[in-house]
């Protein structure tokens, strides 16, 4: 299976993947939200059975972990990328009042996470689980006899994460793969999911280095509270008072550009490439660059990667870059079999340098 | 910075500032406009706007900038982030 085939499954039909990189944890007790609130950077305004995206920062204000907080009665599920369950346990021990009634449980030994992404992922889940799944709102979850279905995803397409008992996971994987392949989909790698996340502007702890960068440079201020105390809050307050000199900006390029390449403007260096990857949908390279704040805007066509010979021009663009199929596919009217021109316009509406 | 680039950035920042203020007021956010990241998603995650907020936003964009957005999915694509709104306003200005 080529990366292009994997990409096509995610962007055009449905894709199954194992989410072994995601930590599955549960806090139990009467004061679980107070415990989660103490370590996460965001305001945890989230109801039972809904999900909220937040971060865990280190003392310098840099993201350590990308977290979904999922409260459920007197428990709270945490889907965590970037740190291990042991590291999260250590953070809780350091920052949470030991008197609070909240006990952390690592669900990983007995549970696995499978995901289905794509504009027709809902069709797979409606056949495998229940047609009612079509009505499950984004960032909410649903319990069923074999586990929990989280409606989430970081690809810009419909996305469902299934937390299953390990004993059931292999059988379920086979069932889902059969449904996915019936829609011309495929099983896809984490690299393919990461590419789609990059195209849609989702933060990933695996996209380039965050060394020296806080949520302000990373355009993640919406995940950071201005009302409460949390790890890294002092660094964030200092950064807010001082202002930022650089900001993450998305770009496209026709030719090869790599992480670490210096970007120059007509007169001087303007920043450097953080992450870059070839996008089959764009037909060129997509990426993020850390640009001087004075020029960290989309719509600029004057920069080039100076380390290349010849220098490779880049154009800054707004995020999200793509016209995702999932925005046009309506589960009440469309199916993969009856898809048409209405749901299949070009993913990329722009042009390349 | 060249004159053209400098002019473009100044024009873009002026619109960005206005759009941020509209969003802050529409959603009654108790934050400085600068705390609204230009690429932050407006719906789902990010600012977490709902359909009611969207209607109010569309009215404000029409009132302030004359940007008319129909109810079509294509129109919705223009309001996925602050930056996509600024793109749409600049595109409209360039065309007129």
């Amino acid at each position: 299976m080529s990366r292009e085939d994997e990409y096509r499954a995610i962007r055009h039909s449905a894709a199954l993947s194992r989410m072994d990189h995601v930590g599955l944890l549960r806090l139990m007790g009467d004061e679980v939200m107070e415990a989660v609130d103490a370590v996460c950077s965001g305001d945890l305004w989230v109801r039972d059975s809904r999900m909220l995206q937040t971060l865990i920062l280190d003392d310098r204000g840099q993201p350590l972990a990308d977290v979904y907080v999922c409260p459920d009665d007197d428990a709270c599920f945490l889907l965590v990328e970037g740190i291990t369950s042991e590291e999260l346990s250590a953070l809780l021990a350091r920052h949470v009042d030991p008197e609070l009634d909240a006990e952390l449980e690592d669900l990983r030994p007995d549970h696995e996470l499978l995901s289905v992404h794509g504009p027709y992922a809902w069709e797979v889940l409606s056949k495998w689980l229940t047609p009612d799944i079509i009505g499950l709102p984004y960032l909410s979850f649903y319990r069923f006899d074999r586990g929990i279905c989280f409606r989430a995803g970081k690809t810009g397409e419909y996305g469902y994460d299934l937390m299953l008992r390990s004993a059931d996971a292999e059988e379920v994987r086979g069932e889902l793969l059969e449904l996915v392949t019936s829609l011309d989909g495929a099983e896809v790698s984490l690299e393919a999911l990461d590419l789609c996340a990059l195209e849609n502007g989702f933060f990933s702890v695996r996209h380039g280095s965050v060394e020296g960068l806080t949520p302000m440079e990373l355009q993640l201020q919406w995940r950071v509270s201005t009302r409460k105390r949390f790890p890294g809050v002092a660094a964030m307050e200092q950064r807010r008072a001082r202002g930022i000199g650089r900001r993450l900006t998305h770009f496209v390029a026709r030719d090869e550009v790599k992480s670490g390449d210096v970007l120059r403007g007509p007169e001087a260096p303007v920043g450097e490439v953080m992450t870059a990857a070839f996008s089959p949908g764009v037909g060129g390279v997509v990426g993020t660059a850390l640009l001087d704040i004075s020029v960290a805007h989309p719509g600029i066509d004057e920069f080039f990667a100076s380390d290349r010979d010849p220098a490779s021009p880049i154009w800054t663009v707004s995020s999200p870059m793509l016209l995702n199929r999932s925005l046009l596919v309506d589960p009440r009217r469309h199916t993969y079999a009856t898809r048409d021109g209405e749901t299949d316009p070009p993913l990329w509406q722009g042009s390349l340098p | 910075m060249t004159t053209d680039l400098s002019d473009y950035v100044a024009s873009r920042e002026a619109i960005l500032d206005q759009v941020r203020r509209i969003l802050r007021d529409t959603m009654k956010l108790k934050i400085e406009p600068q705390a609204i990241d230009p690429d932050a998603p407006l719906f789902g995650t990010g600012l977490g706007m709902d359909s009611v907020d969207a209607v109010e936003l569309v009215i404000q964009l029409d009132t302030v900038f004359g940007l008319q957005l129909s109810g079509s999915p294509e129109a919705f694509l223009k309001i996925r982030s602050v930056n996509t709104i600024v793109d749409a306003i600049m595109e409209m200005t360039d065309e007129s």
Side-chain angles (χ1 to χ4, degrees):
Chain A
M1 173 72 58
S2 70
R3 182 65 46 78
E4 197 148 339
D5 290 336
E6 293 182 34
Y7 180 87
R8 183 170 177 76
I10 299 169
R11 290 292 185 218
H12 295 266
S13 54
L16 173 68
S17 59
R18 301 177 68 98
M19 305 294 273
D20 295 341
H21 59 286
V22 179
L24 303 176
L25 300 117
R26 178 169 55 190
L27 272 163
M28 298 185 69
D30 289 337
E31 294 167 306
V32 291
M33 291 310 287
E34 287 86 340
V36 177
D37 199 41
V39 293
C40 291
S41 61
D43 290 309
L44 300 187
W45 294 326
V46 55
R47 303 193 306 269
D48 278 357
S49 300
R50 301 304 296 260
M51 307 169 69
L52 184 136
Q53 264 186 310
T54 185
L55 297 168
I56 295 175
L57 307 180
D58 67 14
D59 291 338
R60 297 170 296 172
Q62 298 172 190
L64 281 175
D66 188 2
V67 183
Y68 282 121
V69 174
C70 320
D72 184 32
D73 292 332
D74 57 354
C76 181
F77 295 100
L78 300 175
L79 310 186
V80 182
E81 292 181 65
I83 57 173
T84 65
S85 56
E86 291 78 14
E87 289 168 329
L88 178 60
S89 183
L91 277 167
L92 288 165
R94 183 176 158 207
H95 295 287
V96 176
D97 179 350
E99 299 299 314
L100 284 182
D101 178 17
E103 188 178 341
L104 184 67
E105 178 186 10
D106 184 358
L107 300 173
R108 259 297 172 190
D110 302 316
H111 294 78
E112 291 191 26
L113 196 67
L114 299 177
S115 77
V116 183
H117 296 281
Y120 296 93
W122 57 269
E123 193 172 335
V124 172
L125 267 293
S126 68
K127 288 175 181 168
W128 182 77
L129 186 54
T130 167
D132 293 342
I133 207 72
I134 290 169
L136 187 66
Y138 182 56
L139 295 182
S140 58
F141 60 97
Y142 168 87
R143 283 180 171 279
F144 61 102
D145 57 347
R146 295 162 92 175
I148 300 176
C149 176
F150 298 92
R151 167 96 194 273
K154 299 171 185 174
T155 66
E157 310 294 350
Y158 287 96
Y160 301 88
D161 293 328
L162 298 168
M163 189 169 74
L164 305 155
R165 287 185 292 272
S166 298
D168 295 334
E170 201 50 39
E171 182 185 353
V172 172
R173 180 174 159 271
E175 294 165 358
L176 290 171
L177 190 56
E178 190 173 323
L179 287 165
V180 161
T181 51
S182 75
L183 304 184
D184 302 327
E187 189 158 23
V188 303
S189 63
L190 177 58
E191 289 74 19
L193 293 176
D194 278 347
L195 168 60
C196 293
L198 176 64
E199 288 176 334
N200 265 77
F202 282 95
F203 169 70
S204 168
V205 289
R206 294 176 297 282
H207 284 166
S209 168
V210 295
E211 186 62 33
L213 304 180
T214 71
M216 289 186 70
E217 288 89 356
L218 296 168
Q219 301 215 42
L220 294 171
Q221 292 184 83
W222 56 274
R223 296 206 209 179
V224 180
S225 173
T226 55
R227 299 171 177 80
K228 69 173 201 181
R229 310 307 292 174
F230 54 87
V233 68
M236 282 298 301
E237 287 169 347
Q238 283 177 8
R239 194 65 61 105
R240 279 200 189 98
R242 202 174 66 204
I244 55 171
R246 303 170 297 169
R247 183 166 63 208
L248 193 79
T249 306
H250 296 265
F251 70 84
V252 294
R254 186 179 298 279
D255 305 313
E256 188 178 17
V257 175
K258 280 196 163 52
S259 175
D261 280 358
V262 173
L263 296 174
R264 294 186 65 88
E267 294 166 353
V270 293
E272 70 173 288
V273 175
M274 285 191 65
T275 307
F278 178 78
S279 160
V282 170
V285 174
V286 298
T288 55
L290 199 58
L291 295 182
D292 187 279
I293 193 71
S294 65
V295 292
H297 294 284
I300 298 175
D301 58 6
E302 298 189 19
F303 304 152
F304 53 92
S306 57
D307 296 345
R308 303 281 147 197
D309 185 20
S312 180
I314 69 150
W315 288 356
T316 58
V317 295
S318 294
S319 173
M321 301 180 196
L322 299 186
L323 174 52
N324 299 101
R325 296 280 193 277
S326 295
L327 293 170
L328 306 174
V329 170
D330 181 348
R332 293 168 299 181
R333 295 193 293 128
H334 303 118
T335 66
Y336 181 71
T338 61
R339 68 193 183 285
D340 55 23
E342 182 188 357
T343 56
D344 273 357
L347 285 166
W348 169 244
Q349 306 280 311
S351 53
L352 292 171
Chain B
M1 204 184 303
T2 61
T3 307
D4 283 352
L5 180 54
S6 177
D7 288 348
Y8 172 79
V9 169
S11 168
R12 185 155 191 116
E13 285 183 344
I15 296 170
L16 176 64
D17 188 51
Q18 282 182 285
V19 173
R20 281 169 154 167
R21 288 177 190 282
I22 288 172
L23 280 166
R24 183 191 61 174
D25 296 343
T26 299
M27 298 196 63
K28 300 178 177 57
L29 301 172
K30 292 183 172 55
I31 56 175
E32 293 298 313
Q34 290 75 17
I36 301 175
D37 296 311
D39 277 330
L42 300 188
F43 298 92
T45 59
L47 298 190
M49 294 182 75
D50 60 23
S51 54
V52 177
D53 298 322
V55 170
E56 179 63 22
L57 175 62
V58 166
I59 292 168
Q60 288 299 318
L61 292 174
D62 187 6
T63 305
V64 176
F65 297 105
L67 179 67
Q68 295 187 335
L69 299 168
S70 65
S72 68
E74 290 73 18
F76 169 76
L77 299 177
K78 296 182 192 293
I79 55 171
R80 293 169 81 184
S81 67
V82 183
N83 265 337
T84 61
I85 294 173
V86 176
D87 288 344
I89 294 166
M90 294 190 81
E91 189 179 323
M92 178 194 71
T93 308
D94 286 347
E95 285 171 0
S96 61

